[in-house]
Amino acid sequence: MSSHREAPEIAKDPVADSTDVYAFVSPDRPDTVTLIANYVPLQEPAGGPNFYEFGDDVLYEINISNGGRADADVTYAFRFTTEVRNPDTFLYNTGQITSLDDEDFNRRQFYSVSRRVGGRHGKDDDRRRGGDYDDRDDDRDDDRDDRRRRRTEVLAERLPSPPCNVGPRSTPDYPTLAAAAVHDLGGGRKVFAGQRAEGFYVDLGAIFDLGALRPVQDLHLLPMAAMDGVNATKDLNVHTIALQVPISDLTRDGSVPADVDDPAAVIGVWTSAYRRRARVFDDRLGAFRGAGAFTQVSRLGNPLFNEVVVPMGLKDEWNSDEPRRDRDYLRFVQQPELARLLPVLYPGVFPNLAALDDDRADLVAILLTGLPAGVVEGLTTFTGTTYADLLRLNVAVPPSSAPDNLGVLGGDLAGFPNGRRPADDVVTIEIRAIAGATYPLVADYTPDDAAGAVTQGVAPVDYLAEFPYLGHPKDGFSTPAP
């Protein structure tokens, strides 16, 4: 959770594991959108001597759909290169690191950023599995046209990432190092790529212990005393790619919409990671090297989609699919397994949910198409009729002056599922939605009292007030081992 180790294969490949994606109108620069993609989940801060880093052999992308077809109309791509100053020491740093080019910073990463406009990927049409793809030939023709229309611009090369936060001796002024790693890309764009504190808060220990929610576990089928939730990720780190760009970079016509009902105001966002099709072990280097074309191994749109909605047997396939193929997973949204489990795990607490056998049009709207106009007053996130797991954001909704971490459910239209901010309690929001709290938006239905009250009982962590918003990573010396 949100997408940490969510599928069997990607759990073995953390540097390519898309763990969280955030998209929101920047609260301190409301003419921009901030996009954050996290990888390398569940990092123990005391991770030496081989501290965490991005993969040199992974292609990382942040994708934006703005044309109503769930295609990658705008893509920001990131590639990393690792350099070792002194290969004859086992040390990550040979002294204090006081700057990004410090001679004592022994293992450094650099990266490039490019922006591609026009068309969908078209990389993996020969890789599709399952489903009914009678339109395959037409799609390939469209892909060839899209490739001709694509334009790629290299925004920056050889940008330095900051070191991991080793400890007070090795990285004595980590905020200064992190600030130096925020790079200006020109055109009102900023970028950061490096270690951050885990911003996603979740009671992992309870939720995967037969669906327990500690604040209401006295009502569980196997009851225990009710208590506050426990944030299992509060002392862990993650690797972040954060990008802040003008709104006009992302909309279909380059505009900055002011009307929430303007179709150009809604964008869809997802992240993806790619590896070469083949990996060969190089005896001389003692390491694997990639070969062949890139193929997708991970993606993420809405939090918890692959984690909780997609069944075990399809999780790996989902990670390799493109969002525009998500009709194959529609039935799992219409009849989510968790909605059937809640009345069993909490006997007598969800009688109305237990009796509900309709397809869940509310969840389909939230997760796969966006909310049409009129469902929630003052908000639409509708991106078209193509079923696709996208994190949808209406850029015409201004940042909230009083953010509520329950987002739209809490009356804050600037929060999830209108995009996603770091502090949004997406676990509680989605559990309430699955429990039936959102079904009255589309049908005559009375939710159980518990649907609007159930919570994981975990508070947000500390964030920064400015880009890249996620807090500074915990250091290994000061953070006790779990």
Side-chain angles (χ1 to χ4, degrees), residues 109-384:
Q109 279 203 311
F110 301 88
Y111 64 100
S112 65
V113 186
S114 62
R115 181 175 186 263
R116 184 174 67 245
V117 179
R120 55 181 175 246
H121 294 292
K123 297 174 182 167
D124 296 324
D125 277 17
D126 60 340
R127 182 213 32 80
R128 297 183 211 140
R129 303 185 289 280
D132 182 6
Y133 297 128
D134 291 339
D135 60 346
R136 184 176 301 186
D137 291 336
D138 291 339
D139 281 346
R140 285 176 173 165
D141 290 340
D142 289 345
D143 287 337
R144 284 191 288 269
D145 292 340
D146 289 338
R147 282 194 291 272
R148 285 193 289 268
R149 288 194 294 269
R150 285 193 197 127
R151 302 184 308 277
T152 300
E153 175 188 6
V154 177
L155 300 180
E157 294 183 295
R158 202 170 167 74
L159 297 176
S161 289
C164 290
N165 195 1
V166 178
R169 295 175 182 83
S170 296
T171 48
D173 187 1
Y174 198 85
T176 296
L177 291 172
V182 174
H183 302 290
D184 187 347
L185 296 176
R189 306 180 186 113
K190 295 180 183 179
V191 68
F192 172 91
Q195 193 179 49
R196 292 280 86 191
E198 175 61 84
F200 176 60
Y201 51 103
V202 58
D203 191 345
L204 278 174
I207 289 172
F208 285 111
D209 187 17
L210 291 180
L213 298 165
R214 291 184 215 254
V216 293
Q217 66 181 5
D218 55 322
L219 304 176
H220 195 276
L221 180 66
L222 304 171
M224 297 176 66
M227 61 181 68
D228 292 336
V230 175
N231 182 10
T233 64
K234 72 179 181 66
D235 288 329
L236 301 179
N237 295 325
V238 71
H239 263 58
T240 292
I241 297 172
L243 188 65
Q244 191 172 81
V245 299
I247 289 174
S248 57
D249 261 17
L250 307 178
T251 55
R252 67 181 66 171
D253 54 5
S255 65
V256 182
D259 182 356
V260 296
D261 292 323
D262 183 346
V266 181
I267 60 173
V269 179
W270 78 98
T271 59
S272 49
Y274 302 83
R275 282 196 176 278
R276 301 287 187 182
R277 286 186 181 271
R279 298 180 73 201
V280 179
F281 192 80
D282 189 325
D283 290 331
R284 294 173 304 163
L285 296 177
F288 283 98
R289 302 178 68 89
F294 280 105
T295 189
Q296 183 177 299
V297 296
S298 177
R299 65 158 162 142
L300 179 61
N302 284 292
L304 310 178
F305 192 97
N306 197 15
E307 195 106 27
V308 174
V309 175
V310 179
M312 183 71 72
L314 294 175
K315 287 181 179 294
D316 293 329
E317 180 174 327
W318 184 92
N319 262 332
S320 65
D321 253 332
E322 298 176 46
R324 60 192 174 103
R325 307 294 177 196
D326 283 347
R327 176 182 286 275
D328 281 358
Y329 309 97
L330 173 63
R331 64 191 185 278
F332 306 118
V333 178
Q334 292 173 324
Q335 295 287 337
E337 182 181 12
L338 184 56
R340 299 194 302 271
L341 289 175
L342 284 173
V344 176
L345 294 173
Y346 294 87
V349 176
F350 297 100
N352 295 346
L353 181 65
L356 179 62
D357 59 3
D358 294 342
D359 285 345
R360 294 294 300 275
D362 57 324
L363 301 180
V364 172
I366 291 169
L367 299 175
L368 292 180
T369 64
L371 297 167
V375 173
V376 175
E377 185 177 356
L379 177 67
T380 176
T381 60
F382 186 68
T383 55

